[in-house]
Amino acid sequence: MAHQWRGVINEYFDRLDIEKGSKVITLGEGGTPLVHAPALAKLVGAADVWLKVEGMNPTGSFKDRGMTMAVTKAVAHGAKAVICASTGNTSASAAAYAAAAGIKSVVLIPEGKITLGKLGQAIAHKAAILQVRGNFDDCLVLARDLSENYAVHLVNSVNPDRIEGQKTASFEVVEALGFAPDFHVMPVGNAGNYSAYFKGYLEEFNEGIIKAVPKMWGFQAEGSAPFVAGHPIENPETIATAIRIGNPASWDLALSAQDCSRGEFGAVSDTEILWMHRFLSNEVGVFVEPSSATGAAGLLKNSKLGKIPTDAKIVVTVTGHGLKDVGWALKDEQGNEVSPTSCSNSAAEVAELLGLEKN
Ligand code: F0G
């Protein structure tokens, strides 16, 4: 059989904090494409931009890299159930990996605030789901409390196993390019992923594989931007539901990553996020969920502020698949629902509707 990608634990075993002989719970996560995006490079005035397309993971988001580690270790410690708070992607991933491991998953989601695609995934993987009357931050407090007092293992990114697994994305970027980019850009919610990428790059630097760590640029939605405000936000609001988080779990780790990489945090409006969501699918060919376009939207904002050198090589992580949240794709720029025109099976009629010229 030809070589098949074996998932991040098997591919990077020697570089992960995991015991030999552990039964690996994997769905083949990682090994995602690094897509060259000349249209985006042109838009922002950089030499090269690549997208790390994390929607290509088994459950459609980057969470799977951390979840294989968290669930593998939970099982090694004898856990019979895992729990998480989630804006949707973590719960989809936790539920899938728990199903693969043959254990239970419990997910706490903010009522009415996760997309149907993500809810469908958690249901499909038979999670026990509760909608909490509150926001993500309330769900996380509850999940932590339950995991401390009941027999259920926490798999949110406050669990260091998650960060450990997610750092493998940096390894892949360096392997694909042969160098580290000047800037690494991504959306930020809890900042677990931002911290994980920095950890990965720092390890590559310490091992002498790369000459410098990229400047880490993290972007939040304006109504939900605690890192920009410098303090938690009590009632975060944004259409980017995946990153509607006011009290980030990885606050200290992220600030240290920002500091060490000479990076920065910024905020973009929902309008800027939706514009970039459309640009990525229309002009680059990569369909992401709106929240995932936040990093690229921030890159454009920084380009307008003159912060991007023309010789810059930039990687932007797009975190989740567009199919997670098709609602925004089904609207045009004015916000009207798009509905394809109905037609008969007559070639002449179809050609006329399409304005095709006869050859
Ligand atoms: N992008 C997407 C698509 C996400 O789902 C998340 C987080 C982020 C970015 C931000 O990552 O929290 O590590 O800074 N989603 C979590 C969830 C909160 O529950 O699915 P972060």
Side-chain angles (χ1 to χ4, degrees), residues 242-308:
I243 52 170
R244 188 172 165 271
I245 293 171
N247 192 6
S250 291
W251 187 270
D252 295 341
L253 275 182
L255 288 186
S256 122
Q258 179 209 13
D259 197 34
C260 297
S261 77
R262 292 178 294 132
E264 63 176 61
F265 293 111
V268 284
S269 67
D270 284 358
T271 308
E272 289 170 304
I273 293 172
L274 288 173
W275 188 92
M276 184 53 76
H277 171 248
R278 188 178 298 279
F279 180 85
L280 292 178
S281 46
N282 284 4
E283 310 298 333
V284 182
V286 174
F287 186 30
V288 303
E289 59 171 298
S291 309
S292 297
T294 305
L299 184 65
L300 178 56
K301 182 169 182 180
N302 275 5
S303 143
K304 289 177 180 161
L305 294 171
K307 291 187 180 179
I308 301 181

Side-chain angles (χ1 to χ4, degrees), residues 70 81-85 140 143-144 147 152-156 158-159 162:
V82 291
I83 187 168
C84 67
L140 184 57
R144 291 177 94 148
S147 70
V152 64
H153 188 95
L154 187 66
V155 294
N156 278 106
V158 287
N159 175 339
R162 284 275 313 281

